[in-house]
Amino acid sequence: MWTLIISLLLIGLALVVIELIFIPGSTIVGVLGALFAVFAIVISYKSFGRETGFTVLLVSATATLATLIYSFKTGVWSKLSLKTVIDSKVNEGFNEALKVGDIGKALSTLRPIGKAEFDTKQYEVKTSGEYIESGVIIRIKEIYPNQIIVEPLI
């Protein structure tokens, strides 16, 4: 019986630690670990009485607390954490070759967003709200970091 109780407590503690280290935020593994520990404590109460059950409860709570404190103080978590930072942006510098006033051609119908070609390169462009048919000659009206505003060349 002691083997079952100790096994359930160790599995429960391992599941709680796995929840905190490898899959934080899922709560399923952590709750499952807590249920294993509670089940082990309930078995100890039923099999050995109140005093032994309380002792198992106290020992398992102390072991869990000591494991968590040890893990945080020794930096076990920091050894497993990602330390690099991504500071780049998507499509950074994609429109550096373009300038306001450049002439191009709508490759698709712009409603108001579509594809256009400037200097043999394709770009996603946007109108100020009007629809422009495919094949119409367009001019760049404004350039923002993440979009190119065009108008028909009439």
Side-chain angles (χ1 to χ4, degrees), residues 72-90:
F72 283 121
K73 289 205 180 242
T74 59
V76 170
W77 312 120
S78 64
K79 292 177 185 172
L80 298 171
S81 66
L82 181 64
K83 293 178 182 50
T84 59
V85 176
I86 299 173
D87 57 358
S88 62
K89 296 179 182 176
V90 175

Side-chain angles (χ1 to χ4, degrees), residues 11-12 16 26 30 39 42-43 64 77 100 103 108 113 121 129-130 133 136 147 150-151:
I11 291 170
V16 169
S26 71
F39 188 61
V42 167
I43 289 174
T64 302
W77 312 120
V100 174
I103 306 295
S108 66
I113 297 175
K121 290 186 182 176
E130 67 270 10
E133 291 296 322
V136 173
Q147 62 182 216
V150 296
E151 61 187 1

Side-chain angles (χ1 to χ4, degrees), residues 20 65-78:
L20 290 173
L65 188 62
T67 302
L68 293 177
I69 289 173
Y70 174 76
S71 298
F72 283 121
K73 289 205 180 242
T74 59
V76 170
W77 312 120
S78 64

Side-chain angles (χ1 to χ4, degrees), residues 11 15 32 62:
I11 291 170
L15 288 175
L32 191 59
T62 305

Side-chain angles (χ1 to χ4, degrees), residues 4-15:
L4 176 65
I5 292 171
I6 292 171
S7 298
L8 287 173
L9 286 174
L10 290 176
I11 291 170
L13 182 60
L15 288 175

Side-chain angles (χ1 to χ4, degrees), residues 8-9 12 31-45 56-57 60:
L8 287 173
L9 286 174
V31 168
L32 191 59
L35 287 176
F36 271 92
V38 167
F39 188 61
I41 294 166
V42 167
I43 289 174
S44 67
Y45 269 102
V56 169
L57 172 64
S60 65

